[in-house]
């Protein structure tokens, strides 16, 4: 099973740690593309701060991120699972997993990134600021840039098992499963069901969407369940107490879409 996750915008800044070793990152086929983006980001942020902030879409309160990006090659690096924070990762709770569950997380989780393309949670990276929606000179728009690179690398990483795609739309643009992979790919939508004037209605949740997805992955890891297909995933989640409905059944050209129905959002 390969689980595709978005990163968090906010990141923990490692207080200590050896600098980044680009050649040690997973998915070595992305090495050249990573170096091009890293070089462009460092050069941009080492120059005019106003221009860098504008390109990166940073508010005045986040201008310190420019200097942080300029020092990426020498900054302390820590495992990506410790650097990424935010709602999804808080609910995933990597630090609270036992040894066996964490080993499964290291094998199966892949976090997409505007800077690195994608990394495993054990890959050592520094804190950075560069979303997938950025148009980074001279590289260009990062979504299309990474798509070409990912097409050459991700099918092998996906293997012949389930791909559970929990990315947000901006990061989903960096790789679209195709060929044999798409039919065994499942996306998840979180819907809240509640009664309004005596009628049950469903609505898409946003903030709690991330929380539910984080808990869902945590529960799969803790249970040691590694479904090999979208159908097996539906059964596995039902067994873990989730209410799941298939809204789109996958085909050779279309991924499965699963709806996780919740009544309480927290």
């Amino acid at each position: 099973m390969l689980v595709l996750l978005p990163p968090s915008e906010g990141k923990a800044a490692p207080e200590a740690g050896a600098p980044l070793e680009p050649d040690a990152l997973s998915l070595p086929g992305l090495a050249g593309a990573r170096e091009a983006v890293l070089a462009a980001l460092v050069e941009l942020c080492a120059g005019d701060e106003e221009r860098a902030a504008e390109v990166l879409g940073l508010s005045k309160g986040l201008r310190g991120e420019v200097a942080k990006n300029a020092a990426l090659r020498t900054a302390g690096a820590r495992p990506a699972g410790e650097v990424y924070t935010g709602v999804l990762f808080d609910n995933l709770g990597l630090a609270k997993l036992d040894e066996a569950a964490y080993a499964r997380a290291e094998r199966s989780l892949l976090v997409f990134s505007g800077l690195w393309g994608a990394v495993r949670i054990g890959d050592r990276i520094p804190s950075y600021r560069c979303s997938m929606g950025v148009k980074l000179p001279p590289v260009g728009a990062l979504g299309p840039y990474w798509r070409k690179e990912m097409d050459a690398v991700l099918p092998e990483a996906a293997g012949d098992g389930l791909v559970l795609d929990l990315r947000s739309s901006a990061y989903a643009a960096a790789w679209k499963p195709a060929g044999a992979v798409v039919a065994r790919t499942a996306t998840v939508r979180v819907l809240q069901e509640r009664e309004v004037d005596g009628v049950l209605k469903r609505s898409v949740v946003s903030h709690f969407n991330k929380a539910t997805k984080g808990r869902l992955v945590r529960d799969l890891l803790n249970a040691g369940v590694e479904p090999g297909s979208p159908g097996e995933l539906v059964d596995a989640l039902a067994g873990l107490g989730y209410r799941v409905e298939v809204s789109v059944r996958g085909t050779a050209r279309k991924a499965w879409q699963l709806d996780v129905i919740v009544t309480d959002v927290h």
Side-chain angles (χ1 to χ4, degrees):
M1 178 175 66
L2 183 67
V3 182
L4 311 181
L5 299 175
S8 57
E9 288 300 319
K11 300 170 185 70
E15 296 181 0
L20 169 75
E21 297 180 28
D23 292 341
L25 296 177
S26 301
L27 305 178
L30 299 178
R34 286 172 175 147
E35 174 56 33
V37 177
L38 177 61
L41 182 62
V42 169
E43 181 177 358
L44 171 71
C45 293
D48 183 80
E49 181 183 285
E50 291 294 325
R51 179 171 180 267
E54 181 180 355
V55 170
L56 297 175
L58 301 178
S59 64
K60 289 185 178 181
L62 293 174
R63 293 300 171 88
E65 300 293 318
V66 174
K68 183 189 294 184
N69 282 346
L72 283 172
R73 293 190 186 275
T74 57
R78 298 289 296 168
E82 298 177 17
V83 173
Y84 292 119
T85 58
V87 175
L88 189 152
F89 289 91
D90 286 347
N91 284 272
L92 173 52
L94 290 169
K96 299 177 182 178
L97 298 179
D98 63 28
E99 186 175 345
Y102 192 85
R104 286 189 284 272
E106 287 186 306
R107 292 196 308 270
S108 61
L109 305 188
L110 196 62
V111 185
F112 275 62
S113 162
L115 174 53
W116 314 114
V119 292
R120 303 278 188 184
I121 62 166
D123 287 335
R124 294 176 55 261
I125 59 173
S127 178
Y128 66 95
R129 194 81 177 203
C130 184
S131 69
M132 192 65 77
V134 165
K135 293 183 179 179
L136 182 66
V139 173
L142 291 178
Y145 173 84
W146 282 116
R147 191 180 308 137
K148 178 182 178 181
E149 304 297 331
M150 294 291 186
D151 283 344
V153 173
L154 263 292
E156 181 179 355
D160 57 3
L162 169 71
V163 176
L164 176 53
D165 190 352
L166 302 180
R167 296 173 296 167
S168 56
S169 58
Y171 290 89
W175 182 58
K176 297 183 182 300
V181 180
V182 70
R184 40 191 174 81
T185 297
T187 63
V188 171
R189 182 173 60 171
V190 180
L191 300 178
Q192 181 186 13
E193 184 176 80
R194 56 180 178 167
E195 187 174 313
V196 180
D197 297 328
V199 179
L200 283 178
K201 294 188 176 182
R202 292 178 177 179
S203 59
V204 177
V205 296
S206 53
H207 173 88
F208 301 104
N209 167 63
K210 297 177 182 179
T212 300
K213 288 178 178 178
R215 289 193 292 269
L216 181 153
V217 174
R218 179 197 64 201
D219 290 345
L220 287 171
L221 294 171
N222 279 330
V225 179
E226 299 189 45
S229 68
E232 290 180 13
L233 175 63
V234 172
D235 293 339
L237 292 176
L240 292 170
Y242 288 90
R243 183 179 166 195
V244 184
E245 297 177 0
V246 177
S247 59
V248 176
R249 188 169 293 273
T251 68
R253 295 185 178 182
K254 183 182 295 184
W256 291 58
Q257 181 176 295
L258 309 181
D259 288 342
V260 174
I261 313 301
V262 299
T263 53
D264 297 322
V265 289
H266 58 280

